[in-house]
Amino acid sequence: MRLIDLQQPIARLVRRAGPTRPPAAAFSAALGALLILLAATPPAQAQNTPMATKATALIIESAPLGEVIIHPQRELAASVMARNESKLSAEVSGVVLRWTAEAGSTVSKGQVLVDIDPVDFRLAVAQAQAAVDASLARFRQAEQQHQRSQALVAQGFFSQEAQVERATEVALKRSELASNRAQLAIAQRQLAKATLRAPFAGSVVERLAQAGEAVTPGSVLYVLAETGAAEVSASIAPADVAGLRRATDLVFATRGQNYPLRLLRVGSTVSAPARTQEVRLAFVAADAGQPPPVPVGSDGRLLWSDPQPYLPAPLLVRRGDAIGVFVEQGRVARFVVLPGAQEGRAAAVVAAFVGKRQASKHREGKKRDKEKAEG
């Protein structure tokens, strides 16, 4: 308890009830021995004390800053989203022969989802293969003729111009063979596209494939959500981004359970209608490639404690147009204005206190520099 005359703008402490504990370690380096003055009450036996002549003398309480600050809990609406939610479409034309996975089922990477009638594609592969075989035979024949012409040229029975023509024929047959081989590869690829496979392990959100239905390239057959790479998505005001980045206790709360999170990224753009930025977070306990602890699509709340320390609203005092708090510095009670403070709401304190201390040190430094210059 302290006995203080609050009639003066800066009142001096006149009596101590006992030793005061030092401030919290986290603030001792930056704020020194700041004590927040708490409740003020008239002395119980003022008429029996030497201070009884001062009608405005009050007994007040003070506490270290580290004991009265709070860290408000922030929360945002959030949901679990799949990092990949793909619409799997047909890449070739044909008739669906069968589908293998129903909506809600899980599939593994590479699993067959749809088979499209492959007869036309197999015929195209056979045709391309025949063209390759014919080109290969013509190429081998041209090579043999070229080799024989080289021997005849050495014996003087074949002209150099004819030899050049044979070499050109070999080059043309080689190009023809390469082109037909490329056509064969295209036909084989088209045949492979007749079978739709899951590009990743996931859960079937929707099945649109129907047996016997004719499809064309671009026809959506399945909607597949990846299960091993879920992220938590939320929208945050730009002013709260800095606090979210510094927070160490991020959790996703849903169905009475809390799941620790870690921040992945913050969107670099602000959405026009809501003036918010999107943030994405990952579950800490989820292993790579494993399903998230909650299903994709679940809604909940993103919770964290603001790392910025605040003073509770009951400790704030209005003096004229300014709102602030009384602090004890040494044996002096000073009123410190908290910029931006509002009645009935907690106010940030560290920036204000540190700013005043730094400004005071700056003024003292300039004064010493001036004295040295004059001396």
Side-chain angles (χ1 to χ4, degrees):
M1 301 290 289
R2 306 286 190 274
L3 186 61
I4 283 187
D5 184 358
L6 295 180
Q7 191 173 21
Q8 302 297 327
I10 298 178
R12 292 188 174 277
L13 299 179
V14 298
R15 182 170 64 84
R16 289 180 178 270
T20 305
R21 290 178 292 175
F27 302 93
S28 59
L31 305 178
L34 283 179
L35 297 176
I36 302 299
L37 305 187
L38 307 179
T41 57
Q45 299 178 346
Q47 66 275 14
N48 297 329
T49 67
M51 301 298 295
T53 57
K54 294 188 177 182
T56 57
L58 297 174
I59 296 177
I60 67 170
E61 281 186 65
S62 64
L65 179 63
E67 293 185 1
V68 297
I69 62 170
I70 60 174
H71 293 275
Q73 187 177 66
R74 309 296 188 188
E75 66 174 86
L76 295 171
S79 59
V80 181
M81 301 181 65
R83 189 172 64 180
N84 288 314
E85 184 170 311
S86 303
K87 294 180 179 179
L88 307 182
S89 304
E91 296 185 70
V92 294
S93 299
V95 176
V96 175
L97 294 182
R98 68 185 184 103
W99 49 265
T100 63
E102 187 56 271
S105 61
T106 58
V107 296
S108 58
K109 182 177 181 179
Q111 179 177 330
V112 175
L113 299 178
V114 173
D115 279 330
I116 296 174
D117 189 355
V119 173
D120 292 341
F121 306 108
R122 288 175 180 167
L123 292 174
V125 169
Q127 185 179 14
Q129 183 64 60
V132 168
D133 294 340
S135 297
L136 181 59
R138 287 192 292 269
F139 171 69
R140 289 175 177 173
Q141 180 184 20
E143 275 193 326
Q144 291 174 359
Q145 291 176 349
H146 180 246
Q147 291 173 0
R148 286 196 300 268
S149 67
Q150 287 179 331
L152 293 174
V153 169
Q155 297 173 10
F157 297 108
F158 210 74
S159 67
Q160 291 290 343
E161 291 77 7
Q163 169 66 12
V164 172
E165 291 181 0
R166 294 292 176 87
T168 303
E169 184 70 15
V170 171
L172 292 175
K173 298 303 181 185
R174 181 184 291 109
S175 298
E176 180 185 349
L177 176 61
S179 175
N180 287 332
R181 282 176 172 170
Q183 292 298 323
L184 175 61
I186 292 173
Q188 291 173 336
R189 180 168 172 77
Q190 292 296 98
L191 175 60
K193 289 179 179 180
T195 300
L196 180 65
R197 299 180 181 271
F200 46 74
S203 175
V204 177
V205 178
E206 189 175 4
R207 176 185 66 82
L208 301 175
Q210 305 292 335
E213 181 180 11
V215 296
T216 58
S219 300
V220 178
L221 303 180
Y222 274 94
V223 179
L224 190 65
E226 189 174 6
T227 56
E231 297 177 352
V232 175
S233 174
S235 297
I236 186 172
D240 294 331
V241 170
L244 180 69
R245 290 185 184 276
R246 298 195 306 269
T248 58
D249 58 348
L250 298 166
V251 296
F252 179 72
T254 182
R255 301 176 185 175
Q257 299 290 328
N258 291 341
Y259 301 93
L261 300 172
R262 57 183 176 86
L263 182 63
L264 291 177
R265 56 191 176 275
V266 178
S268 58
T269 58
V270 178
S271 63
R275 310 304 301 173
T276 58
Q277 294 175 254
E278 185 180 17
V279 295
R280 288 296 184 100
L281 308 98
F283 291 99
V284 173
D287 297 329
Q290 296 298 320
V294 294
V296 172
S298 299
D299 293 327
R301 309 293 294 177
L302 171 60
L303 307 176
W304 77 94
S305 297
D306 195 328
Q308 167 69 50
Y310 284 74
L311 275 177
L315 299 184
L316 304 184
V317 179
R318 174 180 285 278
R319 300 196 75 184
D321 294 333
I323 298 178
V325 65
F326 280 100
V327 300
E328 178 188 345
Q329 294 178 330
R331 295 182 61 83
V332 178
R334 300 184 185 276
F335 180 75
V336 177
V337 177
L338 300 177
Q342 300 178 9
E343 287 184 329
R345 301 185 63 179
V349 293
V350 171
F353 291 155
V354 173
K356 285 182 174 294
R357 292 171 63 85
Q358 290 177 343
S360 176
K361 290 181 180 179
H362 181 67
R363 288 194 298 270
E364 292 176 0
K366 291 183 65 176
K367 182 178 180 182
R368 287 195 299 269
D369 294 340
K370 183 178 180 181
E371 291 175 352
K372 288 181 180 179
E374 293 176 351

